[in-house]
Amino acid sequence: MLFIVTLALTILPLVSAHGKLVSLTGDAGGNGTALAIRGAIVPGTGPNSKTEVDTTVFSKTSILSDGLGKTTGSGKNKINMIIEAMALSGTTLPQISTTQGSAISGIFHIVTTDGAGPLSAVLDPTATGKFSTGIPLTVITQIPGDKGNIAAPKKQQKQQRSVLGRAVDTLLAKRGGAANVNQSFPFKFSVPAGTVCNGTVAGLTGVCLVKIANSNKAGPFGGVAFVQTAGAAAGSAGGANSDKSSEIGVQVGVWLRMVYIFKLNVTVQKSNGRGTVADIRALMSTSYDVSAQVSH
């Protein structure tokens, strides 16, 4: 028995704790999600290897640090993942006003006990991932948690587990593992008045990047999402051609996403509902920069 438990631990990842940014909106409307998020195809409960594939992990605990992070399912996050994100959340990015009262709000999903609050947020007006020189945002509504940790729900703690499962859980706890939480909470951050986005991504102008994450040393965990200055699309420097290019890019992205999900569903069905992380990684790792293939 001890041998089996030891063997199981040797193949488990050292980091097994996550929380992710699943939805985002601006005070002026729009909707978005974090880069690499895969939606409902990722289960809410189950082994960490299944539930954490689209959670972004950053390399530094400081919110004011550069980079887009990475996930176990898709590898390093990339700017051109905006196409896939918009395919999931819609063709209008979260819109932020430039006046007093500008804000972003959304839902943060705590996957495991080390993926909790408090959250911090920073906005990069260049949309390049230069968060070290970004604009820190002020929290209005915070999610629960203490230094990135939260207790697992009592109902889940009482669920019956196999002898092996309980033994593995006990040893994981001793070495910094995390139990499943599977709960979502709202958050809100204010954006300083006068903040203007000046990035250009996939034919969209007036774009910013927002990084939202906790500071847990096991991660940190969170996500990166795009927002846009309200009205920027209508007044973009590219004019009608730029808008048309963006529209075509998003439409192609939606089609590609449909193909991804279809292929993944087939794979899961063939494996009797037990799709592996390798299956997901193989099907979803490719990012398509369709904007580069559309004439402006």
Side-chain angles (χ1 to χ4, degrees):
M1 177 64 177
L2 179 60
F3 170 76
I4 296 175
V5 172
T6 304
L7 178 61
L9 286 174
T10 63
I11 62 175
L12 288 172
L14 292 178
V15 176
S16 56
H18 293 73
K20 59 186 178 183
L21 171 62
V22 295
S23 69
L24 189 70
T25 189
D27 64 289
N31 187 51
T33 190
L35 300 182
I37 288 293
R38 296 179 176 180
I41 62 175
V42 178
T45 60
N48 291 347
S49 61
K50 306 287 188 182
T51 61
E52 300 174 348
V53 294
D54 63 347
T55 298
T56 292
V57 184
F58 298 100
S59 60
K60 297 181 179 180
T61 56
S62 172
I63 195 69
L64 298 178
S65 55
D66 295 338
L68 306 180
K70 62 182 180 180
T71 67
T72 58
S74 300
K76 290 184 178 180
N77 289 337
K78 304 176 183 65
I79 294 293
N80 60 16
M81 286 179 174
I82 186 175
I83 299 298
E84 295 176 10
M86 293 181 74
L88 280 178
S89 59
T91 58
T92 301
L93 293 174
Q95 303 289 295
I96 56 173
S97 62
T98 58
T99 59
Q100 192 72 29
S102 178
I104 57 171
S105 57
I107 299 297
F108 192 88
H109 185 71
I110 300 178
V111 181
T112 51
T113 52
D114 288 357
L119 299 176
S120 298
V122 58
L123 182 146
D124 167 27
T126 69
T128 60
K130 295 291 184 180
F131 296 113
S132 59
T133 56
I135 302 171
L137 306 184
T138 302
V139 66
I140 298 175
T141 303
Q142 184 61 271
I143 71 169
D146 179 22
K147 298 180 181 179
N149 298 301
I150 192 172
K154 292 182 179 180
K155 182 178 180 181
Q156 292 176 209
Q157 290 178 335
K158 293 180 180 179
Q159 288 179 341
Q160 292 294 322
R161 298 291 308 280
S162 66
V163 175
L164 176 59
R166 291 196 299 271
V168 170
D169 286 347
T170 299
L171 290 177
L172 273 176
K174 292 181 179 180
R175 57 178 272 182
N180 187 261
V181 175
N182 189 33
Q183 292 185 335
S184 297
F185 299 91
F187 65 84
K188 186 174 183 179
F189 290 89
S190 65
V191 179
T195 298
V196 176
C197 301
N198 52 43
T200 299
V201 180
L204 297 173
T205 59
V207 178
C208 289
L209 266 176
V210 174
K211 174 183 177 182
I212 298 174
N214 67 15
S215 58
N216 198 306
K217 293 181 179 180
F221 309 105
V224 173
F226 288 93
V227 300
Q228 190 174 35
T229 300
S236 62
N241 288 336
S242 179
D243 291 340
K244 186 64 175 178
S245 160
S246 175
E247 180 182 350
I248 294 174
V250 171
Q251 289 175 351
V252 173
V254 172
W255 181 82
L256 289 172
R257 192 69 185 185
M258 290 174 65
V259 173
Y260 283 162
I261 294 174
F262 174 77
K263 291 172 66 179
L264 182 60
N265 285 338
V266 171
T267 301
V268 171
Q269 289 174 7
K270 287 183 177 180
S271 59
N272 296 321
R274 297 188 296 272
T276 65
V277 174
D279 294 329
I280 297 174
R281 188 174 297 156
L283 291 175
M284 304 295 288
S285 61
T286 305
S287 295
Y288 291 86
D289 188 3
V290 299
S291 63
Q293 303 172 28
V294 179
S295 59
H296 291 264

